Amino acid sequence: MDPVKQGFWYTEFGAAELLMKWDRDFKIKPWLLKSLKQIDKLKWRLTLRPGVTFQNGKPLNAEALAALMRRQLKLSASAQANLPGAKVVVTGKYEVELTTETANPSVPNILASESVFPVYDVEVVNAVGEEYSRLAGSGMYTGPYEVVSLNDQELVLKRYNGYWQGVPPLSKVIVGFVSDVQARMLAVENGEADIAIYVPSEAKILYKGRDDVFFVTAPGTREGVRLVLNQRIAPFNETAVRRAFGLGINYKVIADNVLNGVYQTAVGYYPSGFPFLVKNQKYDQKLARKLLEKAGWLTADDGIRVKNGQRLHVVLLIYPQQPDLNPIATAMQAQLKEIGFEVEIVSVDSISQVMKEDKIPWNAGLAFDSSISGGGAPQLHRYIHSKGDCNYGGINDPELDALIDKLDVTFDVDKRTKLLQNIQRIIIEENGCQFFVANKLFPALVSAAYRDYLPSHNWQHVTFKTKPTHIKQQQ
């Protein structure tokens, strides 16, 4: 219940809310804010919707918002990383002014991030000290459903009748924490649950034609499977080998056939829908072979390429928590063998830790990632910039660094688009330093009562609009 360390996931199930939100049309829009206005390069005016209350009945006004933002900026690593040195002052009953230390065009993105400013009642949180379990039932959030209880098996929420958008349609929401994916699906099949999330793409085939259980997906996505290449060691210390690896993956086959159309074909560094997407990621075995041969990697009798006595061997990391990674990796293994790569698949429990600390020798890693959201500088800084904390592959390209640094302080939309397109060109075409293998249309398995349920594109699984098909929304 600690809102600083764990508050982010309460927005996912209808308890907490954010100041801004990523809508399904790929645009950032006000949520608890009525408006967000840029005053100059450093200052932003945040105006709250009047009439919003915490679930304990206290009003969400400027004083409450300022207290929340100041507390997060003091205690939250995510807030500090995104808005270092930021200041917040109250300028009206429902208005605060945010001043950033340096020019930051990503402020709208940051306010839509679930880990930065989940909105909660600071007075209530401070009153319990570190006994965070006492926050259950405190009405500390503003969402349609209030936390009743929480343990390691389930989160229980009840309707908040004073919710600002109207009376929520459900009297209660129970979120069960079931780690086994088969058990989650069986819970829906046996009538023990209405919605199961994080289900494998193969469920689409397993439940096809059923009239009691339905497999549904979000219509769009901001989430993808990121392919990280380790440039610090052979063979991906060679640009030609990295580019060939990307060219040897049949992205359409993986999305349509291997993953049963539950994913969109990856055509570039961002999913379809973003206006600045450059469609420069392609499958081209002929060009891949040409690049490898020119770089001195020649085909041996068994079809695997060799250079200076070394086989073109790649250790590809995946992790068991995401069941779709296994078929993706297996398909890649077969496809890349056709151009001379020998791919060894290794499953590890904590892939980011293994890659970061080099706990075992590795060359590539597959990981689900929604930080591609918006194409803002923060995710590029983390994953691509030479100083990024998630730059596990050791990317060190001065031109990329300069473009990302420039993106940091550029507000003009057209100029940002050009910078982002140049960045994508270098990442995919020139450097070949990182790719996206597929873009996930978030799936869910649902009961007949929820056959019209639309899975979230942004991890908001329960909202004010979530309801069985036969229930009309109350206003």
Side-chain angles (χ1 to χ4, degrees), residues 67 103 109 127-128 167 169 197 200 208 287 370 402 465:
N109 304 53
V128 304
V167 179
I197 58 175
K208 185 177 182 180
L287 178 56
S370 67
K465 295 183 178 180

Side-chain angles (χ1 to χ4, degrees), residues 435-460:
F435 303 92
F436 275 85
V437 178
N439 297 319
K440 186 177 184 179
L441 299 170
F442 196 89
L445 197 67
V446 301
S447 66
Y450 282 82
R451 61 186 178 274
D452 293 332
Y453 175 76
L454 196 61
S456 174
H457 65 299
N458 195 27
W459 294 355
Q460 289 160 22

Side-chain angles (χ1 to χ4, degrees), residues 146 212 329 422-423 434:
E146 178 186 350
D212 58 336
N422 281 335
I423 288 169
Q434 207 167 90

Side-chain angles (χ1 to χ4, degrees), residues 164-466:
W164 62 276
Q165 291 193 73
V167 179
L170 306 173
S171 62
K172 180 186 288 188
V173 175
I174 300 175
V175 182
F177 308 128
V178 182
S179 59
D180 182 78
V181 64
Q182 297 299 325
R184 290 201 297 275
M185 294 193 295
L186 282 173
V188 176
E189 193 171 346
N190 296 334
E192 299 166 357
D194 289 299
I195 302 168
I197 58 175
Y198 298 108
V199 295
S201 60
E202 66 178 2
K204 180 178 181 180
I205 305 300
L206 292 174
Y207 292 94
K208 185 177 182 180
R210 296 277 292 261
D211 59 5
D212 58 336
V213 180
F214 296 83
F215 182 88
V216 293
T217 61
T221 180
R222 296 190 299 108
E223 183 177 20
V225 181
R226 187 189 297 271
L227 172 60
V228 178
L229 303 181
N230 188 356
Q231 298 187 23
R232 295 185 178 93
I233 60 174
F236 291 136
N237 57 340
E238 297 183 45
T239 302
V241 179
R242 296 194 301 270
R243 290 185 59 206
F245 199 80
L247 290 164
I249 301 169
N250 193 327
Y251 304 98
K252 182 172 177 55
V253 165
I254 288 176
D256 293 348
N257 300 347
V258 177
L259 299 171
N260 304 310
V262 180
Y263 289 63
Q264 289 179 339
T265 300
V267 296
Y269 194 70
Y270 295 101
S272 298
F274 289 106
F276 46 76
L277 166 66
V278 178
K279 297 181 179 181
N280 59 349
Q281 190 170 278
K282 59 183 179 180
Y283 170 57
D284 190 335
Q285 286 188 332
K286 184 177 179 180
L287 178 56
R289 292 189 180 101
K290 184 177 179 180
L291 287 169
L292 291 170
E293 287 165 8
K294 188 175 181 180
W297 290 94
L298 305 179
T299 307
D301 292 340
D302 63 354
I304 303 302
R305 293 181 182 269
V306 177
K307 180 180 179 179
N308 298 328
Q310 296 295 317
R311 292 169 67 82
L312 193 51
H313 181 84
V314 172
V315 175
L316 175 63
L317 301 179
I318 60 172
Y319 52 104
Q321 294 89 339
Q322 290 284 0
D324 282 342
L325 289 179
N326 188 56
I328 291 172
T330 303
M332 287 173 55
Q333 183 184 53
Q335 292 169 1
L336 290 160
K337 186 176 181 180
E338 294 178 7
I339 60 171
F341 281 92
E342 181 179 59
V343 177
E344 176 187 356
I345 302 169
V346 177
S347 183
V348 295
D349 284 329
S350 180
I351 188 169
S352 59
Q353 187 176 11
V354 170
M355 291 192 295
K356 184 176 183 178
E357 300 176 5
D358 283 328
K359 290 197 168 186
I360 63 172
W362 67 279
N363 305 106
L366 290 174
F368 278 86
D369 188 8
S370 67
S371 65
I372 53 181
S373 58
Q379 68 89 18
L380 291 170
H381 259 292
R382 298 194 72 192
Y383 290 88
I384 300 296
H385 199 283
S386 61
K387 296 181 181 179
D389 64 315
C390 295
N391 181 4
Y392 305 125
I395 301 167
N396 189 1
D397 187 312
E399 186 179 3
L400 272 176
D401 284 356
L403 288 170
I404 294 169
D405 290 339
K406 189 173 182 180
L407 187 67
D408 270 345
V409 295
T410 300
F411 288 86
D412 183 86
V413 174
D414 292 335
K415 291 179 180 178
R416 287 183 66 83
T417 295
K418 289 181 180 179
L419 286 169
L420 282 162
Q421 290 175 340
N422 281 335
I423 288 169
Q424 292 171 75
R425 176 181 52 79
I426 296 171
I427 291 173
I428 303 295
E429 298 172 42
E430 293 186 11
N431 196 310
C433 57
Q434 207 167 90
F435 303 92
F436 275 85
V437 178
N439 297 319
K440 186 177 184 179
L441 299 170
F442 196 89
L445 197 67
V446 301
S447 66
Y450 282 82
R451 61 186 178 274
D452 293 332
Y453 175 76
L454 196 61
S456 174
H457 65 299
N458 195 27
W459 294 355
Q460 289 160 22
H461 310 301
V462 178
T463 71
F464 175 60
K465 295 183 178 180
T466 303

